[in-house]
Amino acid sequence: MPYVVTQSCCSDASCVYACPVNCIHPTPDEPDFLSAEMLYVDPESCVDCGACATACPVDAITSTKRLTPEQQPFIEINADFYRQVRPRTVLAQPVPAARVEGGPLRVAIVGSGPSAMYAADELLTQPDVAVTVIDRLPVPYGLARFGVAPDHTKTRRVSRLYDVMSEQPGFGSYLNLTVGQDVSHEELLAHNHAVIYAVGASTDRKLGIPGEGLPGSASATDFVAWYNGHPDQSEREFDLTQRRAVIVGNGNVALDVARILTADPEALSHTDISPRALEALRHSKVEEVVIIARRGPAESAFTVPEFVGLLGADVDIVVEGDVPEPVPGISQKVEHKLRLLRGLADRPVSGRKRIVFRYLSSPTALSGTDRVAGIELAHNELATDADGTVRAVPTGSTETLDTGLVLASVGYRGVPLPGLPFDDAAGVIPNSAGRVRSAPGGEVVPGVYVTGWIKRGPTGFIGTNKSCAQETVRGLVEDFNTGRLTEPAYGAGDFDALVSARRPSAIRGGAVAARPGWKARLLARV
Ligand code: NAP
């Protein structure tokens, strides 16, 4: 019986390199890696050795013998991937580590989320390299801690991998230290050969409609930060006295928020959820969450694995309106989404709390005087442009849905950083393959690099940041080896003195102690 990849796949591709028969695809070298929603085991080639399961940092891979009933669809989802004709230009090969010549090389990394940790880890594959990871928060790991839903316990285990990375020789960190406030970008460059910005996309995109900002309207990203105990949201209150909540946008964040709003609080009490949020959820009156999408079922932004996971939740799931039948020629992931959504028509509802998927509806205003009382929706039909883009076009008909809580879940957005260029249209720092440029297509800014969402925009999964970081580090090391980086004017000790003077409360080190069992397991696989 083969192994299968399941919902919590983080796409870091550890399994690809662990597999002795090259049966997990797409690999980071293959063209469809960046567009894939997860990795897939080829059931024909799998030799059932379990090496992939051991290597996976988030326990996403399991034997088909051990799947729960809710996980059964993953057998077909994995197998289906190998039924399509797809490019297999390159077989899985570890990306060669960039070799540092003539070290020591000193690099500061701003941010401590997944993209920062993978960049640090890639740099530390080389001897004679020192990295200093810096985060404004007093705890590390960014969205791995404050973005992953608390009930996604397997995905949250990726933090243990970062604990191990943090224990490597050459790894240093400063937490509770804000770049641009306590120390400047110029000061970082004066103490290091290079600075990598791995700051993510720290704000939310706005709906831009009247009424946004009324009490009762908020961003889903703030709600996520709140239930995960982010210090910036510690004082926040969300009014959960309403029977119906509405989420605008139907990406994976919307699914996370809908699941948490409808979950049994007792089931969440064993997770890392913030105690304050748990208490609020215990008193919640929310019985229905409506997820609004401006386009149709085929354009749903959520991924197949996350939707399969939602189907296993203890909640009724209802799809309003017709779901088209899959037609030949559509992509495999759209076909899976349509089949899963159509399958809901036959699923009995049991009167539990419910999540409603509503399509072809755009919010035009939030109604209410001193707080949100409803959301005004324009009904849409779909139009396809010459390039294949499917657009929502208003039909002219409208309606108002009563609700006292509207969460906009329309994506994250990068923010400009002091002293650095910014591409406002794309919400990223302009760069080519991680080398920062003065503007899109402009001059390279020496010694400054980006990785993660601030480099490529807010898409992909935790492990996507690994190949992203490898690309950035390859460019950085090449620049170092060819003499394009300036020797820092000051030493590492000088930086410590600067931080002590400017920010005595900065926390040096900051790595969470690695669990011995995990480390042994990690070392056993390399
Ligand atoms: P997302 O996947 O980009 O989805 C954004 C949603 O907002 C889409 O439905 C989009 O509709 C809609 N939207 C955008 N502008 C809108 C507007 N003005 N009016 C109405 N709707 C609008 O964003 P996300 O959910 O924040 O996720 C961000 C990334 O994190 C994704 O790559 C996601 O997969 C990842 N993530 C993954 C997990 C996981 O794997 N468990 C969990 C959370 C997040 P259109 O499609 O019509 O533009």
Side-chain angles (χ1 to χ4, degrees):
M1 293 287 270
Y3 277 70
V4 281
V5 184
T6 64
Q7 182 191 351
S8 54
C9 176
C10 73
S11 295
D12 88 339
S14 304
C15 54
V16 166
Y17 304 118
C19 173
V21 294
N22 190 34
C23 80
I24 305 178
H25 295 270
T27 74
D29 317 282
E30 292 173 339
D32 45 351
F33 178 74
L34 277 182
S35 59
E37 294 186 337
M38 54 183 279
L39 306 183
Y40 308 86
V41 174
D42 181 356
E44 300 292 325
S45 324
C46 176
V47 290
D48 204 12
C49 70
C52 54
T54 311
C56 176
V58 292
D59 289 348
I61 309 184
T62 184
S63 164
T64 43
K65 282 176 281 200
R66 287 199 291 272
L67 289 176
T68 62
E70 294 77 31
Q71 289 175 322
Q72 292 295 327
F74 285 108
I75 296 179
E76 260 313 278
I77 289 169
N78 277 249
D80 241 16
F81 182 74
Y82 294 91
R83 293 190 186 116
Q84 64 182 336
V85 180
R86 49 177 301 277
R88 275 211 211 173
T89 48
V90 189
L91 295 182
Q93 291 165 355
V95 180
R99 276 179 59 84
V100 173
E101 292 158 15
L105 165 63
R106 260 197 343 261
V107 181
I109 302 178
V110 184
S112 69
S115 59
M117 295 308 295
Y118 287 120
D121 194 46
E122 186 63 17
L123 281 162
L124 293 173
T125 57
Q126 299 293 298
D128 226 4
V129 176
V131 299
T132 307
V133 165
I134 301 170
D135 203 296
R136 73 180 179 91
L137 294 178
V139 283
Y141 309 155
L143 277 189
R145 184 186 294 268
F146 295 118
V148 177
D151 58 339
H152 279 173
T153 48
K154 288 184 177 182
T155 309
R156 292 179 74 90
R157 280 180 210 160
V158 77
S159 292
R160 299 185 196 173
L161 181 61
Y162 304 150
D163 289 345
V164 175
M165 291 174 179
S166 310
E167 294 213 328
Q168 296 175 88
F171 183 96
S173 66
Y174 271 110
L175 302 175
N176 206 26
L177 181 71
T178 303
V179 174
Q181 185 179 303
D182 303 318
V183 291
S184 68
H185 167 66
E186 291 71 26
E187 284 167 336
L188 285 187
L189 262 186
H191 290 83
N192 293 277
H193 292 92
V195 182
I196 302 177
Y197 284 87
V199 292
S202 52
T203 191
D204 50 291
R205 294 180 57 217
K206 303 287 179 222
L207 291 173
I209 56 173
E212 193 175 24
L214 274 174
S217 96
S219 79
T221 55
D222 282 359
F223 191 75
V224 169
W226 171 73
Y227 64 57
N228 277 325
H230 192 294
D232 288 355
Q233 300 295 329
S234 59
E235 300 301 314
R236 189 74 184 258
E237 307 260 346
F238 288 89
D239 181 358
L240 306 180
T241 59
Q242 317 292 325
R243 199 190 68 79
R244 177 188 287 141
V246 170
I247 302 174
V248 181
N250 69 358
N252 284 341
V253 170
L255 263 50
D256 283 346
V257 169
R259 226 180 38 253
I260 296 297
L261 275 171
T262 51
D264 174 1
E266 293 324 305
L268 293 174
S269 66
H270 309 292
T271 70
D272 289 340
I273 193 167
S274 122
R276 193 179 156 92
L278 181 64
E279 197 47 30
L281 288 166
R282 282 197 166 115
H283 297 99
S284 169
K285 299 274 184 294
V286 174
E287 286 172 12
E288 177 180 273
V289 178
V290 183
I291 299 179
I292 305 273
R294 58 184 170 184
R295 299 190 291 162
E299 290 76 38
S300 297
F302 56 73
T303 60
V304 170
E306 288 307 308
F307 192 71
V308 171
L310 182 69
L311 296 180
D314 183 22
V315 61
D316 285 337
I317 299 177
V318 177
V319 182
E320 285 186 353
D322 293 334
V323 178
E325 217 173 305
V327 290
I330 58 171
S331 76
Q332 209 169 52
K333 50 190 177 192
V334 172
E335 182 179 341
H336 278 297
K337 280 178 196 174
L338 293 180
R339 288 201 193 292
L340 290 165
L341 285 165
R342 285 173 68 82
L344 287 170
D346 305 324
R347 214 166 104 137
V349 289
S350 61
R352 297 172 287 184
K353 289 182 183 171
R354 57 186 219 148
I355 298 174
V356 179
F357 284 83
R358 168 181 283 230
Y359 289 95
L360 297 171
S361 305
S362 290
T364 51
L366 301 184
S367 57
T369 43
D370 52 350
R371 59 164 297 109
V372 172
I375 181 167
E376 292 172 19
L377 299 171
H379 294 163
N380 300 324
E381 56 193 10
L382 297 178
T384 307
D385 292 343
D387 66 358
T389 308
V390 178
R391 277 184 300 115
V393 181
T395 61
S397 97
T398 59
E399 76 176 297
T400 300
L401 201 59
D402 293 340
T403 179
L405 178 63
V406 175
L407 298 171
S409 183
V410 292
Y412 289 80
R413 190 179 154 77
V415 294
L417 296 170
L420 290 179
F422 192 68
D423 176 352
D424 202 47
V428 299
I429 293 178
N431 71 93
S432 47
R435 288 184 176 100
V436 169
R437 292 187 174 269
S438 56
E443 308 249 296
V444 167
V445 182
V448 190
Y449 302 83
V450 279
T451 188
W453 279 5
I454 198 64
K455 168 185 172 185
R456 60 176 207 277
T459 58
F461 314 101
I462 287 178
T464 317
N465 293 301
K466 182 168 171 168
S467 42
C468 182
Q470 284 171 333
E471 180 189 62
T472 296
V473 167
R474 271 200 301 278
L476 186 159
V477 170
E478 187 188 310
D479 291 348
F480 178 73
N481 290 346
T482 51
R484 281 182 233 148
L485 300 185
T486 309
E487 197 58 27
Y490 302 100
D494 299 322
F495 187 68
D496 293 337
L498 179 76
V499 173
S500 305
R502 295 268 180 80
R503 180 78 171 163
S505 59
I507 304 160
R508 191 168 172 197
V512 180
R515 289 162 214 190
W518 172 253
K519 185 161 192 177
R521 196 172 139 195
L522 181 92
L523 294 176
R525 77 176 203 232
V526 279

PDB file of all heavy atoms in Angstrom, residues 90-112:
ATOM      1  N   VAL A  90      13.127  17.574 -15.134  1.00  0.00           N
ATOM      2  CA  VAL A  90      14.275  17.341 -14.263  1.00  0.00           C
ATOM      3  C   VAL A  90      13.865  16.359 -13.175  1.00  0.00           C
ATOM      4  O   VAL A  90      12.794  16.492 -12.602  1.00  0.00           O
ATOM      5  CB  VAL A  90      14.708  18.655 -13.579  1.00  0.00           C
ATOM      6  CG1 VAL A  90      16.020  18.465 -12.846  1.00  0.00           C
ATOM      7  CG2 VAL A  90      14.810  19.774 -14.588  1.00  0.00           C
ATOM      8  N   LEU A  91      14.672  15.393 -12.905  1.00  0.00           N
ATOM      9  CA  LEU A  91      14.377  14.505 -11.784  1.00  0.00           C
ATOM     10  C   LEU A  91      14.815  15.190 -10.498  1.00  0.00           C
ATOM     11  O   LEU A  91      15.610  16.116 -10.513  1.00  0.00           O
ATOM     12  CB  LEU A  91      15.115  13.187 -11.966  1.00  0.00           C
ATOM     13  CG  LEU A  91      14.663  12.357 -13.168  1.00  0.00           C
ATOM     14  CD1 LEU A  91      15.421  11.049 -13.215  1.00  0.00           C
ATOM     15  CD2 LEU A  91      13.166  12.077 -13.100  1.00  0.00           C
ATOM     16  N   ALA A  92      14.262  14.719  -9.390  1.00  0.00           N
ATOM     17  CA  ALA A  92      14.566  15.375  -8.119  1.00  0.00           C
ATOM     18  C   ALA A  92      16.058  15.342  -7.830  1.00  0.00           C
ATOM     19  O   ALA A  92      16.669  14.291  -7.779  1.00  0.00           O
ATOM     20  CB  ALA A  92      13.823  14.659  -7.001  1.00  0.00           C
ATOM     21  N   GLN A  93      16.598  16.516  -7.663  1.00  0.00           N
ATOM     22  CA  GLN A  93      18.008  16.614  -7.277  1.00  0.00           C
ATOM     23  C   GLN A  93      18.084  17.688  -6.206  1.00  0.00           C
ATOM     24  O   GLN A  93      17.484  18.740  -6.393  1.00  0.00           O
ATOM     25  CB  GLN A  93      18.866  17.089  -8.448  1.00  0.00           C
ATOM     26  CG  GLN A  93      18.984  16.088  -9.543  1.00  0.00           C
ATOM     27  CD  GLN A  93      19.529  16.728 -10.810  1.00  0.00           C
ATOM     28  OE1 GLN A  93      19.724  17.932 -10.881  1.00  0.00           O
ATOM     29  NE2 GLN A  93      19.773  15.904 -11.784  1.00  0.00           N
ATOM     30  N   PRO A  94      18.835  17.443  -5.139  1.00  0.00           N
ATOM     31  CA  PRO A  94      18.961  18.517  -4.168  1.00  0.00           C
ATOM     32  C   PRO A  94      19.562  19.746  -4.852  1.00  0.00           C
ATOM     33  O   PRO A  94      20.460  19.618  -5.670  1.00  0.00           O
ATOM     34  CB  PRO A  94      19.934  17.951  -3.128  1.00  0.00           C
ATOM     35  CG  PRO A  94      19.908  16.479  -3.353  1.00  0.00           C
ATOM     36  CD  PRO A  94      19.561  16.251  -4.784  1.00  0.00           C
ATOM     37  N   VAL A  95      19.014  20.923  -4.544  1.00  0.00           N
ATOM     38  CA  VAL A  95      19.599  22.148  -5.098  1.00  0.00           C
ATOM     39  C   VAL A  95      20.995  22.269  -4.501  1.00  0.00           C
ATOM     40  O   VAL A  95      21.150  22.224  -3.280  1.00  0.00           O
ATOM     41  CB  VAL A  95      18.749  23.376  -4.685  1.00  0.00           C
ATOM     42  CG1 VAL A  95      19.335  24.645  -5.243  1.00  0.00           C
ATOM     43  CG2 VAL A  95      17.319  23.173  -5.118  1.00  0.00           C
ATOM     44  N   PRO A  96      22.050  22.393  -5.321  1.00  0.00           N
ATOM     45  CA  PRO A  96      23.376  22.461  -4.724  1.00  0.00           C
ATOM     46  C   PRO A  96      23.497  23.691  -3.837  1.00  0.00           C
ATOM     47  O   PRO A  96      23.039  24.770  -4.202  1.00  0.00           O
ATOM     48  CB  PRO A  96      24.318  22.551  -5.932  1.00  0.00           C
ATOM     49  CG  PRO A  96      23.465  22.834  -7.110  1.00  0.00           C
ATOM     50  CD  PRO A  96      22.047  22.540  -6.766  1.00  0.00           C
ATOM     51  N   ALA A  97      24.048  23.516  -2.636  1.00  0.00           N
ATOM     52  CA  ALA A  97      24.221  24.647  -1.742  1.00  0.00           C
ATOM     53  C   ALA A  97      25.230  25.596  -2.373  1.00  0.00           C
ATOM     54  O   ALA A  97      26.168  25.174  -3.036  1.00  0.00           O
ATOM     55  CB  ALA A  97      24.732  24.156  -0.394  1.00  0.00           C
ATOM     56  N   ALA A  98      24.969  26.903  -2.181  1.00  0.00           N
ATOM     57  CA  ALA A  98      25.910  27.893  -2.702  1.00  0.00           C
ATOM     58  C   ALA A  98      27.176  27.826  -1.865  1.00  0.00           C
ATOM     59  O   ALA A  98      27.107  27.900  -0.641  1.00  0.00           O
ATOM     60  CB  ALA A  98      25.259  29.261  -2.602  1.00  0.00           C
ATOM     61  N   ARG A  99      28.352  27.637  -2.460  1.00  0.00           N
ATOM     62  CA  ARG A  99      29.604  27.486  -1.695  1.00  0.00           C
ATOM     63  C   ARG A  99      30.205  28.852  -1.406  1.00  0.00           C
ATOM     64  O   ARG A  99      30.484  29.625  -2.326  1.00  0.00           O
ATOM     65  CB  ARG A  99      30.617  26.659  -2.499  1.00  0.00           C
ATOM     66  CG  ARG A  99      30.427  25.153  -2.341  1.00  0.00           C
ATOM     67  CD  ARG A  99      31.441  24.431  -3.186  1.00  0.00           C
ATOM     68  NE  ARG A  99      32.810  24.779  -2.819  1.00  0.00           N
ATOM     69  CZ  ARG A  99      33.490  24.211  -1.826  1.00  0.00           C
ATOM     70  NH1 ARG A  99      32.922  23.270  -1.107  1.00  0.00           N
ATOM     71  NH2 ARG A  99      34.712  24.571  -1.555  1.00  0.00           N
ATOM     72  N   VAL A 100      30.379  29.112  -0.129  1.00  0.00           N
ATOM     73  CA  VAL A 100      30.979  30.389   0.254  1.00  0.00           C
ATOM     74  C   VAL A 100      32.495  30.270   0.134  1.00  0.00           C
ATOM     75  O   VAL A 100      33.100  29.354   0.692  1.00  0.00           O
ATOM     76  CB  VAL A 100      30.581  30.757   1.700  1.00  0.00           C
ATOM     77  CG1 VAL A 100      31.328  31.987   2.163  1.00  0.00           C
ATOM     78  CG2 VAL A 100      29.085  30.972   1.799  1.00  0.00           C
ATOM     79  N   GLU A 101      33.101  31.181  -0.622  1.00  0.00           N
ATOM     80  CA  GLU A 101      34.569  31.172  -0.768  1.00  0.00           C
ATOM     81  C   GLU A 101      35.133  32.375  -0.029  1.00  0.00           C
ATOM     82  O   GLU A 101      34.668  33.494  -0.234  1.00  0.00           O
ATOM     83  CB  GLU A 101      34.943  31.238  -2.257  1.00  0.00           C
ATOM     84  CG  GLU A 101      34.552  29.977  -3.004  1.00  0.00           C
ATOM     85  CD  GLU A 101      34.407  30.225  -4.501  1.00  0.00           C
ATOM     86  OE1 GLU A 101      34.868  31.264  -4.980  1.00  0.00           O
ATOM     87  OE2 GLU A 101      33.794  29.360  -5.156  1.00  0.00           O
ATOM     88  N   GLY A 102      36.145  32.131   0.818  1.00  0.00           N
ATOM     89  CA  GLY A 102      36.835  33.243   1.473  1.00  0.00           C
ATOM     90  C   GLY A 102      36.021  33.922   2.545  1.00  0.00           C
ATOM     91  O   GLY A 102      35.998  35.152   2.607  1.00  0.00           O
ATOM     92  N   GLY A 103      35.319  33.117   3.393  1.00  0.00           N
ATOM     93  CA  GLY A 103      34.559  33.695   4.493  1.00  0.00           C
ATOM     94  C   GLY A 103      35.487  34.358   5.501  1.00  0.00           C
ATOM     95  O   GLY A 103      36.687  34.442   5.251  1.00  0.00           O
ATOM     96  N   PRO A 104      35.035  34.806   6.635  1.00  0.00           N
ATOM     97  CA  PRO A 104      33.654  34.685   7.090  1.00  0.00           C
ATOM     98  C   PRO A 104      32.689  35.617   6.348  1.00  0.00           C
ATOM     99  O   PRO A 104      33.087  36.681   5.899  1.00  0.00           O
ATOM    100  CB  PRO A 104      33.739  35.067   8.564  1.00  0.00           C
ATOM    101  CG  PRO A 104      34.938  35.934   8.681  1.00  0.00           C
ATOM    102  CD  PRO A 104      35.890  35.492   7.628  1.00  0.00           C
ATOM    103  N   LEU A 105      31.444  35.116   6.269  1.00  0.00           N
ATOM    104  CA  LEU A 105      30.354  35.902   5.684  1.00  0.00           C
ATOM    105  C   LEU A 105      29.349  36.171   6.787  1.00  0.00           C
ATOM    106  O   LEU A 105      28.923  35.245   7.482  1.00  0.00           O
ATOM    107  CB  LEU A 105      29.707  35.092   4.547  1.00  0.00           C
ATOM    108  CG  LEU A 105      28.344  35.556   4.035  1.00  0.00           C
ATOM    109  CD1 LEU A 105      28.424  36.956   3.407  1.00  0.00           C
ATOM    110  CD2 LEU A 105      27.794  34.569   3.006  1.00  0.00           C
ATOM    111  N   ARG A 106      29.001  37.462   6.956  1.00  0.00           N
ATOM    112  CA  ARG A 106      28.026  37.808   8.013  1.00  0.00           C
ATOM    113  C   ARG A 106      26.765  38.387   7.380  1.00  0.00           C
ATOM    114  O   ARG A 106      26.842  39.321   6.571  1.00  0.00           O
ATOM    115  CB  ARG A 106      28.640  38.847   8.947  1.00  0.00           C
ATOM    116  CG  ARG A 106      29.152  38.221  10.208  1.00  0.00           C
ATOM    117  CD  ARG A 106      29.414  39.120  11.386  1.00  0.00           C
ATOM    118  NE  ARG A 106      29.526  40.514  11.190  1.00  0.00           N
ATOM    119  CZ  ARG A 106      30.670  41.174  11.095  1.00  0.00           C
ATOM    120  NH1 ARG A 106      31.815  40.527  11.134  1.00  0.00           N
ATOM    121  NH2 ARG A 106      30.675  42.483  10.959  1.00  0.00           N
ATOM    122  N   VAL A 107      25.619  37.821   7.740  1.00  0.00           N
ATOM    123  CA  VAL A 107      24.351  38.236   7.131  1.00  0.00           C
ATOM    124  C   VAL A 107      23.318  38.514   8.223  1.00  0.00           C
ATOM    125  O   VAL A 107      23.156  37.708   9.141  1.00  0.00           O
ATOM    126  CB  VAL A 107      23.808  37.133   6.187  1.00  0.00           C
ATOM    127  CG1 VAL A 107      22.495  37.574   5.535  1.00  0.00           C
ATOM    128  CG2 VAL A 107      24.826  36.758   5.116  1.00  0.00           C
ATOM    129  N   ALA A 108      22.625  39.646   8.108  1.00  0.00           N
ATOM    130  CA  ALA A 108      21.480  39.917   8.988  1.00  0.00           C
ATOM    131  C   ALA A 108      20.210  39.561   8.221  1.00  0.00           C
ATOM    132  O   ALA A 108      20.105  39.836   7.026  1.00  0.00           O
ATOM    133  CB  ALA A 108      21.441  41.390   9.381  1.00  0.00           C
ATOM    134  N   ILE A 109      19.281  38.909   8.910  1.00  0.00           N
ATOM    135  CA  ILE A 109      18.002  38.563   8.284  1.00  0.00           C
ATOM    136  C   ILE A 109      16.899  39.239   9.093  1.00  0.00           C
ATOM    137  O   ILE A 109      16.793  39.025  10.304  1.00  0.00           O
ATOM    138  CB  ILE A 109      17.781  37.031   8.258  1.00  0.00           C
ATOM    139  CG1 ILE A 109      18.939  36.353   7.506  1.00  0.00           C
ATOM    140  CG2 ILE A 109      16.446  36.697   7.611  1.00  0.00           C
ATOM    141  CD1 ILE A 109      18.849  34.835   7.456  1.00  0.00           C
ATOM    142  N   VAL A 110      16.107  40.063   8.435  1.00  0.00           N
ATOM    143  CA  VAL A 110      15.053  40.801   9.145  1.00  0.00           C
ATOM    144  C   VAL A 110      13.746  40.022   9.001  1.00  0.00           C
ATOM    145  O   VAL A 110      13.269  39.794   7.886  1.00  0.00           O
ATOM    146  CB  VAL A 110      14.911  42.231   8.582  1.00  0.00           C
ATOM    147  CG1 VAL A 110      13.885  43.020   9.394  1.00  0.00           C
ATOM    148  CG2 VAL A 110      16.255  42.937   8.580  1.00  0.00           C
ATOM    149  N   GLY A 111      13.179  39.628  10.144  1.00  0.00           N
ATOM    150  CA  GLY A 111      12.019  38.734  10.168  1.00  0.00           C
ATOM    151  C   GLY A 111      12.485  37.376  10.674  1.00  0.00           C
ATOM    152  O   GLY A 111      13.675  37.032  10.548  1.00  0.00           O
ATOM    153  N   SER A 112      11.553  36.628  11.290  1.00  0.00           N
ATOM    154  CA  SER A 112      11.938  35.297  11.793  1.00  0.00           C
ATOM    155  C   SER A 112      10.879  34.255  11.439  1.00  0.00           C
ATOM    156  O   SER A 112      10.782  33.213  12.073  1.00  0.00           O
ATOM    157  CB  SER A 112      12.129  35.337  13.316  1.00  0.00           C
ATOM    158  OG  SER A 112      10.879  35.527  13.955  1.00  0.00           O
TER     159      SER A 112
END
